[in-house]
């Protein structure tokens, strides 16, 4: 067995110089033509490192999205939000791309259709961390006028119609749950509004015809019915009429 192994090793050693000689010649020629080229050398380490960095970035982004999805109000207190927006609302400085000098009178219906995103999405659609929720009070307050308590018009904030509808629903839900305060106008009601002394709601006397026994309409008693028609009616309803009527 040992002899057979030694024979195989000797045959490989004899053949290997003849196989390696063309490769050495190609390496020498390539180095003369372009010294910057390193034949048969691939940057495998750099490619693996780039893929690893991309995977790490995608993992971090997925973790951030999942974290803010459960608690979207934490994003407005994070350093990432402060670095991007500072103390301004998310819609501050937004300008929609449009043709001509006059902006459109209405915002677009939606910025995201399936997997396709428009070129200049609205302030809410452009940031995936900005999530509309009735408990995200700080975000909702950015779209409410502090003087009137009315939600800003989308032509001012640039929000698309789909997100504007979600904003309105979230604001109403937040007010119903007590997260947002709103003012109810005070109305002073007088006691006369609930009294029966007013002519419109006071006691109405009965009609005179009900007390005297007269007909409701005076002209009704002056009508004389036709005898032929009366006889025909009595004949038709004879079985239902009492005797003497």
């Amino acid at each position: 067995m040992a002899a057979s192994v030694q024979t195989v090793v000797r045959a490989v050693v004899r053949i290997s110089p003849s196989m390696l000689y063309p490769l050495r010649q190609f390496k020498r020629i390539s180095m003369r033509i372009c010294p910057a080229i390193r034949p048969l050398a691939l940057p495998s380490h750099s490619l693996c490192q780039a893929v690893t960095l991309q995977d790490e970035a995608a993992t971090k982004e997925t973790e951030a999205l999942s974290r803010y999805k459960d608690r979207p109000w934490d994003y407005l207190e994070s350093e990432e939000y402060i670095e991007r927006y500072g103390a301004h609302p998310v819609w501050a400085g937004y300008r929609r791309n449009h043709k001509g000098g006059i902006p459109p009178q209405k915002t677009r219906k939606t910025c995201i259709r399936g997997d396709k995103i428009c070129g200049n999405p609205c302030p809410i659609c452009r940031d995936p961390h900005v999530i509309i929720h009735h408990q995200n009070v700080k975000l909702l307050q950015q779209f409410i006028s502090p003087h009137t308590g009315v939600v800003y018009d989308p032509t001012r904030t640039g929000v698309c119609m789909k997100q504007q509808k979600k904003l309105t629903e979230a604001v109403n839900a937040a007010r119903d749950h007590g997260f947002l305060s709103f003012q109810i106008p005070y109305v002073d009601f007088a006691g006369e509004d609930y009294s029966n002394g007013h002519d419109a709601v006071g006691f109405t006397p009965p009609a005179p015809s009900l007390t005297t026994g007269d007909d409701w309409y005076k002209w009704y008693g002056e009508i004389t019915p036709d005898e032929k028609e009366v006889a025909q009616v009595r004949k038709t309803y004879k079985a239902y009429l009492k005797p003497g009527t």
Side-chain angles (χ1 to χ4, degrees):
M1 183 70 181
S4 61
V5 172
Q6 291 179 0
T7 305
V8 172
V9 170
R10 290 176 182 175
V12 170
V13 169
R14 292 175 183 175
I15 297 172
S16 59
S18 61
M19 296 176 61
L20 296 176
Y21 181 75
L23 295 177
R24 292 175 180 174
Q25 290 293 111
F26 175 75
K27 183 177 180 180
R28 292 174 182 175
I29 295 171
S30 62
M31 290 294 292
R32 292 176 183 176
I33 296 174
C34 183
I37 297 177
R38 296 293 184 269
L40 302 177
L42 297 175
S44 58
H45 179 71
S46 60
L47 292 176
C48 295
Q49 187 176 6
V51 173
T52 305
L53 294 175
Q54 291 178 0
D55 295 341
E56 291 179 357
T59 304
K60 290 181 180 179
E61 186 176 358
T62 305
E63 292 178 356
L65 288 174
S66 61
R67 181 174 69 255
Y68 295 136
K69 184 177 182 181
D70 298 334
R71 299 174 60 88
W73 47 88
D74 291 344
Y75 175 63
L76 277 77
E77 299 177 356
S78 63
E79 296 180 357
E80 182 181 359
Y81 176 85
I82 297 174
E83 291 178 359
R84 183 170 183 176
Y85 300 103
H88 303 286
V90 295
W91 53 268
Y94 173 79
R95 184 179 183 274
R96 178 185 172 185
N97 295 338
H98 58 85
K99 184 178 181 180
I102 301 176
Q105 301 299 319
K106 293 183 180 180
T107 58
R108 60 172 64 94
K109 292 184 179 180
T110 180
C111 301
I112 304 174
R113 298 180 183 273
D115 297 336
K116 297 181 180 179
I117 304 177
C118 64
N120 186 20
C122 70
I124 296 179
C125 295
R126 68 182 176 183
D127 193 348
H129 301 316
V130 177
I131 302 174
I132 298 175
H133 195 272
H134 68 275
Q135 295 183 4
N136 198 355
V137 180
K138 290 187 177 180
L139 178 64
L140 299 179
Q141 288 177 346
Q142 296 180 4
F143 295 88
I144 300 175
S145 173
H147 307 288
T148 61
V150 180
V151 180
Y152 285 134
D153 193 80
T155 55
R156 178 176 181 179
T157 58
V159 179
C160 62
M161 301 305 295
K162 182 178 180 180
Q163 299 295 344
Q164 182 70 16
K165 184 178 180 181
K166 291 182 179 180
L167 271 173
T168 306
E169 294 176 354
V171 169
N172 294 333
R175 289 173 176 173
D176 293 340
H177 288 78
F179 295 108
L180 285 176
S181 60
F182 60 98
Q183 184 179 3
I184 300 176
Y186 175 75
V187 179
D188 187 11
F189 296 98
E192 297 178 357
D193 298 334
Y194 297 95
S195 64
N196 294 333
H198 196 271
D199 296 338
V201 296
F203 178 74
T204 303
S209 59
L210 299 178
T211 56
T212 59
D214 299 336
D215 296 328
W216 185 271
Y217 300 104
K218 295 181 179 180
W219 53 267
Y220 189 78
E222 300 176 357
I223 297 176
T224 304
D226 190 2
E227 295 295 337
K228 293 182 179 181
E229 293 181 359
V230 173
Q232 185 177 0
V233 171
R234 285 179 179 177
K235 183 178 180 181
T236 304
Y237 298 98
K238 182 179 179 180
Y240 302 98
L241 295 177
K242 295 180 180 180
T245 58

